[in-house]
Amino acid sequence: ELFEVGFTVHPKDSKWDKHYHKLSTEITFLLKGKMLMQNQEIIEGQIFILEPYEIADPVFLEDCTVVVIKTPSVPGDKYIVE
């Protein structure tokens, strides 16, 4: 319940729902690739942090491999932005 860890691969130009969390902070490490998050370029090796209510709006400019730590782990704490 303190945290959860995810490992994902996103092909270039893949679609990911814009979303936010009300309770959890997301700490993301871009292991491979290049992407945009909140109109900011993220390159491999960088870490970015999204606090509660910050919108995750990724654009995958290359094939990307990411490791995400979400703390705390709260099932259902994901809200899609239309």
Side-chain angles (χ1 to χ4, degrees):
E1 64 187 45
L2 296 178
F3 68 93
E4 62 186 76
V5 178
F7 176 87
T8 58
V9 176
H10 299 277
K12 179 182 178 183
D13 297 327
S14 63
K15 301 298 178 202
W16 196 23
D17 288 334
K18 287 183 182 181
H19 70 278
Y20 65 93
H21 304 280
K22 292 182 180 179
L23 303 171
S24 299
T25 297
E26 278 190 356
I27 303 160
T28 303
F29 173 59
L30 183 58
L31 188 62
K32 180 181 177 189
K34 184 167 48 170
M35 63 187 287
L36 296 176
M37 181 65 75
Q38 298 178 338
N39 293 316
Q40 196 169 39
E41 186 176 88
I42 310 295
I43 60 172
E44 65 182 57
Q46 284 188 309
I47 294 172
F48 59 93
I49 298 172
L50 296 176
E51 300 290 345
Y53 290 95
E54 285 189 277
I55 295 176
D57 60 348
V59 176
F60 301 103
L61 303 174
E62 298 176 355
D63 293 346
C64 291
T65 303
V66 297
V67 177
V68 179
I69 299 168
K70 191 165 70 168
T71 183
S73 176
V74 181
D77 183 37
K78 182 175 183 178
Y79 301 88
I80 304 300
V81 176
E82 298 296 326

